[in-house]
Amino acid sequence: MLFRSIVNKERETGIFGGTARKKDGFKLTIINKSDKAKTLTLIERIPTSTTEEIKSKLLSINSEKKVNYKMLKDGKIEMKLTLAPNENKAIEVLFELSYDKDLKVNY
């Protein structure tokens, strides 16, 4: 099972020159309800833009244990996980958006 919830870290972290920055993220909770260990590949994504005016970057992936991940195209993140029988794992994904302060950005 997979649950996803929003993590509001820092909305409007400040305006540097003409650039606004927003730090945001989400928390994934993965549950192995099996009586056997499971290995899985999870692909999630952070917001991306088709315009150069808006930039996004991954800040961190946090969990109790280290998560093996790699960035793919279009903001996709591939994570390799192994869950013990009946294990719950929480992963927090944080990212930052930077854009011209006069732009309205929704995601």
Side-chain angles (χ1 to χ4, degrees):
M1 297 181 85
L2 172 67
F3 299 99
R4 183 177 181 183
S5 58
I6 302 298
V7 174
N8 293 328
K9 282 295 182 188
E10 295 178 39
R11 300 269 190 204
E12 299 301 335
T13 59
I15 299 174
F16 304 97
T19 304
R21 298 181 193 279
K22 283 188 182 181
K23 292 181 183 176
D24 214 340
F26 51 88
K27 181 179 178 180
L28 302 168
T29 304
I30 304 106
I31 303 169
N32 179 6
K33 291 195 171 192
S34 171
D35 59 352
K36 296 179 182 174
K38 300 288 181 179
T39 300
L40 59 118
T41 300
L42 177 66
I43 297 180
E44 268 296 336
R45 66 184 309 154
I46 60 173
T48 57
S49 176
T50 56
T51 175
E52 291 291 319
E53 296 172 310
I54 303 170
K55 298 191 183 332
S56 67
K57 72 175 180 178
L58 178 66
L59 295 176
S60 65
I61 294 181
N62 303 312
S63 184
E64 285 183 14
K65 296 180 184 174
K66 185 178 185 306
V67 175
N68 293 322
Y69 72 90
K70 67 178 177 181
M71 288 298 299
L72 305 175
K73 291 181 182 179
D74 302 323
K76 292 180 184 171
I77 306 163
E78 179 183 271
M79 295 176 252
K80 304 274 188 185
L81 309 170
T82 300
L83 295 170
N86 299 303
E87 180 183 7
N88 293 349
K89 186 171 198 127
I91 301 171
E92 189 177 73
V93 178
L94 302 175
F95 58 88
E96 180 181 78
L97 298 176
S98 56
Y99 51 91
D100 185 282
K101 67 179 182 179
D102 296 326
L103 286 176
K104 278 199 173 230
V105 175
N106 296 313
Y107 57 94

